[in-house]
Amino acid sequence: MTLNVGAHVSISGSKTSGDDESPPSDGVDNAVWRQRNVGGNCGQIFTHSPQVWQSPDVEDDEAEAFRAESDTHDIGPWVIHTSYLVNLCTPKEGLREKSRESMQEEVEAAHKLGIPYVNVHLGAHTGAGVEQGLENAAAVIDSLDVPDDVTILIESDAGSGTKLGGDFEHLATVLELADTDLDICLDTAHAFAAGYDLSTPEGVADTLAELDDVVGLEHLKYVHLNDSKHECGTNKDEHAHIGDGHIGDEGFEAFLNHEAIRDVPLALETPTEDGRSYEWNIQHVKELRDEE
């Protein structure tokens, strides 16, 4: 299988000055150029600032350009990451409704852009309890009108506080409760923080075997590939360069070459620091992946 690896890239601003191509207008099609610029061939975007309640506002010409550029340069599959404010598990009706409205806009934007996946965190139950929180999440999802060509991915979480999704059982429960067809996105840093040890070949094999047993690997459609600045089981979510964190090169080499992962697209959310950014991390992933 061809290695599908890319990064979470911005849709804002214009191309870097000095490039030999003409800068595009400010729009979502910028993401394709940015992905190519870091050496990626798939990836993730926000359709707007993730810190605010805001509509995607994708113009028809932008969507057409995004689809055409992605096809021309064979970049995909893409995934949209929803706003950080979305909380599917909350017992607060007002917040659940805002989350539902935001999710509906994101799945519609994905359809418009030809993006097959919309990624979302379950959120926090904030005292309602795990069972009620998961039921709330499934109910919000089932209230959506999801286009046939779009799939919602539930992302694994680091599991701090009352946030849900740190336990694979949480993901499985939502998939079981919801009538909507759902799949999952595994974040390596989140899973590690939640107590799934990915730092050794044995740990990788055990974690993926448990994911298969609890959720089913057929539901794993995307991976957020991130190292962790904190140790396993700390519930602390802070990403590191691939190989530089507590997962390390040994863990990532085993993970990237595991048969369950080899054809799953990978999106990096690694930091820009120490003179390195996405381009370095993508190249390092390629070095850790064995050739077919």
Side-chain angles (χ1 to χ4, degrees), residues 65-253:
F66 176 86
R67 296 174 74 129
E69 286 287 294
S70 294
D71 287 345
T72 296
H73 299 289
D74 196 22
I75 295 180
W78 289 94
V79 57
I80 290 174
H81 195 301
T82 58
S83 168
Y84 293 143
L85 301 180
V86 168
N87 187 344
L88 305 181
C89 296
T90 179
K92 299 177 181 178
E93 292 185 11
L95 180 54
R96 277 208 313 276
E97 179 57 23
K98 281 188 174 182
S99 299
R100 189 201 68 77
E101 291 173 357
S102 180
M103 285 288 295
Q104 185 63 51
E105 290 179 335
E106 296 288 22
V107 296
E108 290 171 2
H111 172 70
K112 189 172 187 177
L113 291 164
I115 292 178
Y117 302 119
V118 171
N119 179 79
V120 65
H121 294 269
L122 289 174
H125 67 72
T126 62
V130 173
E131 183 177 354
Q132 186 61 56
L134 297 176
E135 289 178 1
N136 289 346
V140 173
I141 290 168
D142 280 343
S143 72
L144 300 172
D145 182 11
V146 183
D148 291 339
D149 59 349
V150 176
T151 300
I152 294 172
L153 305 182
I154 308 299
E155 181 179 345
S156 64
D157 198 87
S160 61
T162 64
K163 289 183 178 179
L164 301 180
D167 191 321
F168 290 163
E169 289 284 357
H170 297 167
L171 308 179
T173 298
V174 174
L175 266 62
E176 181 180 354
L177 289 174
D179 293 327
T180 305
D181 289 333
L182 302 172
D183 288 309
I184 66 165
C185 170
L186 177 71
D187 186 304
T188 53
H190 293 174
F192 188 73
Y196 297 97
D197 190 359
L198 295 169
S199 64
T200 66
E202 295 78 15
V204 167
D206 288 347
T207 296
L208 292 177
E210 183 170 352
L211 183 63
D212 189 26
D213 183 57
V214 175
V215 182
L217 286 171
E218 69 274 13
H219 289 293
L220 179 60
K221 301 301 183 183
Y222 231 99
V223 167
H224 285 170
L225 199 71
N226 303 299
D227 211 330
S228 173
K229 290 187 177 182
H230 302 281
E231 294 181 358
C232 184
T234 59
N235 302 120
K236 294 181 179 180
D237 178 17
E238 191 174 3
H239 299 175
H241 293 303
I242 301 299
D244 277 8
H246 287 275
I247 296 177
D249 277 350
E250 183 182 17
F252 277 110
E253 185 172 13

